[in-house]
Amino acid sequence: MNSGTERNTEEKILKAARQVFTEKGMAGARMQEIADKAGINKAMLHYYFRSKEKLFDRVFKEAFGLFWPRVDQYLQTTTDLKTLLKAIVTSYIDVLIDQPFLPIFILNELHRNPDHLKRLFFETGVDPTQLLEIIKGEMAAGNIVEMDPRELLVNILSLSLFPFAARPLVSRILWDNDQESYVAFLKERKNTVYEFIVRAVFVSSAC
Amino acid sequence: MNSGTERNTEEKILKAARQVFTEKGMAGARMQEIADKAGINKAMLHYYFRSKEKLFDRVFKEAFGLFWPRVDQYLQTTTDLKTLLKAIVTSYIDVLIDQPFLPIFILNELHRNPDHLKRLFFETGVDPTQLLEIIKGEMAAGNIVEMDPRELLVNILSLSLFPFAARPLVSRILWDNDQESYVAFLKERKNTVYEFIVRAVFVSSAC
DNA sequence: GTCTATAAAAGGATAGAC
DNA sequence: GTCTATCCTTTTATAGAC
């Protein structure tokens, strides 16, 4: 048999790999750095994962799962668009405050190698149609303004994700590099983004 | 003297370097590929720019200049917030349709090496205060809803830039990988983003 | 200024002992 | 399973002829 530490070592490698790959990207990451962070040597990385690419794929697929919102879950509970909107925005911001490198990492790697998407498509079952149908329904009922439903979805993603992707730029220029208050700003966005979108698309009944 | 082609060669190198660096990033770019694209050999790259890093810095700084909106220009012409908003969104989308790799490139490199910003700060004179003051003014006058002025600026940037940064993801999942109609969508955003923001922040006087 | 050839270093991967 | 030592390829950078 074995010494019984293999799960432990594998987990240590994955933890280190997540850190290094998400910070440096595939091209910038070094196997040596991953080994050092995991407290082992390079040979072990290959013993467990055969190649840099295979290790990367494992990390990337996992990250993508976190990144694409699991809207399906919320759809079990409710079909009210405002409630869904609040849930999506909140869940995104909560995840990304813990994993700030996720957006740039995912977007960057998809940029360099769009074929990743083909594989991920089948494996993670991404499907926005249900959400788009709900949006269409609200539109037909006259509750929200006329627009391409996909456009609304893109705007939700934009407002939720961009401030994380652009964090080094925005936090320095607009928040004077004060990370604490920038995180506070990001947390407040659970409400402010929600309200911003509601004002932009829901037809006011106050008149 | 020299053979008189040096400006020409330098420009050929820069053109190739722009292409390769913005597509692959600093870590993924190869000097060989830049040389091939420029139709010369590697030795020439070092003759003109000494090192990969120096060549990269030159390209990056130039790209950042394009990326950060030159709001100052518009501020000469008008101080009306709606007009400014329309001008900013339009100019962004026009630039990025020509240079689709710009957002990911800039955001990615700032992520990996935030110190670039320190240098760029002094050299490009980025200063959003004037625009923020205008927003505050409109708020005090009761024309737009109460919010952190920086938040509005972040939302403008988010809605303008994100669909470019996330293009491989969004165009595949929501536009079925039809690049032509995705570009059409991006162009329409000169209007739709503007209208979206106006509905979200300007206090309606229709009641 | 431009080229060929080559140095020098880095980085991914493997062999083989324990 | 884990380590050390080493191979082999890639890649940046320079020397030197023209």
Side-chain angles (χ1 to χ4, degrees), chain A residues 23 112 189 199-200 207, chain B residues 23 112 155 189 199-200 207:
Chain A
E23 273 180 41
R112 316 278 187 230
R189 284 179 75 77
R199 287 196 303 269
C207 295
Chain B
E23 273 181 41
R112 316 274 188 235
N155 289 352
R189 283 178 76 78
R199 289 197 302 270
C207 295

Side-chain angles (χ1 to χ4, degrees), chain A residues 14 17 21 25-27 29-31 34 45-46 48-62 105 109 112-113 115-116 119:
Chain A
L14 279 172
F21 277 129
M26 169 64 175
R30 295 292 164 252
M31 295 294 264
I34 296 176
L45 299 181
H46 290 93
Y48 277 95
F49 294 93
R50 270 199 73 79
S51 70
K52 182 183 180 183
E53 200 181 347
K54 285 200 168 50
L55 178 54
F56 175 82
D57 275 5
R58 171 74 173 268
V59 169
F60 182 79
K61 199 181 300 175
E62 188 186 285
F105 173 59
E109 297 301 333
R112 316 278 187 230
N113 178 9
D115 291 337
H116 267 136
R119 281 180 264 165

Side-chain angles (χ1 to χ4, degrees), chain A residues 105-121:
Chain A
F105 173 59
I106 299 286
L107 296 180
N108 194 41
E109 297 301 333
L110 287 180
H111 222 294
R112 316 278 187 230
N113 178 9
D115 291 337
H116 267 136
L117 263 178
K118 283 189 193 139
R119 281 180 264 165
L120 291 171
F121 246 148

Side-chain angles (χ1 to χ4, degrees), chain A residues 61-75:
Chain A
K61 199 181 300 175
E62 188 186 285
F64 189 80
L66 277 175
F67 182 72
W68 188 257
R70 304 248 53 84
V71 182
D72 351 359
Q73 296 176 0
Y74 309 126
L75 287 170

Side-chain angles (χ1 to χ4, degrees), chain A residues 23-24 101 104 108 111-112 117 150-151 155 158 161-162 168 172 174 189 192 196 199-200 207, chain B residues 23 101 104 108 111-112 117 150-151 155 158-159 161-162 168 172 174-175 189 192 196 199-200 207:
Chain A
E23 273 180 41
K24 311 276 173 83
F101 288 93
I104 274 289
N108 194 41
H111 222 294
R112 316 278 187 230
L117 263 178
R150 296 172 297 183
E151 193 194 325
N155 289 352
S158 300
L161 296 172
F162 183 82
R172 278 196 195 233
L174 295 177
R189 284 179 75 77
T192 54
F196 190 87
R199 287 196 303 269
C207 295
Chain B
E23 273 181 41
F101 288 94
I104 276 288
N108 194 39
H111 223 296
R112 316 274 188 235
L117 263 177
R150 297 172 298 184
E151 193 194 325
N155 289 352
S158 301
L159 293 165
L161 296 171
F162 182 82
R172 280 196 192 232
L174 295 177
W175 268 261
R189 283 178 76 78
T192 56
F196 190 88
R199 289 197 302 270
C207 295

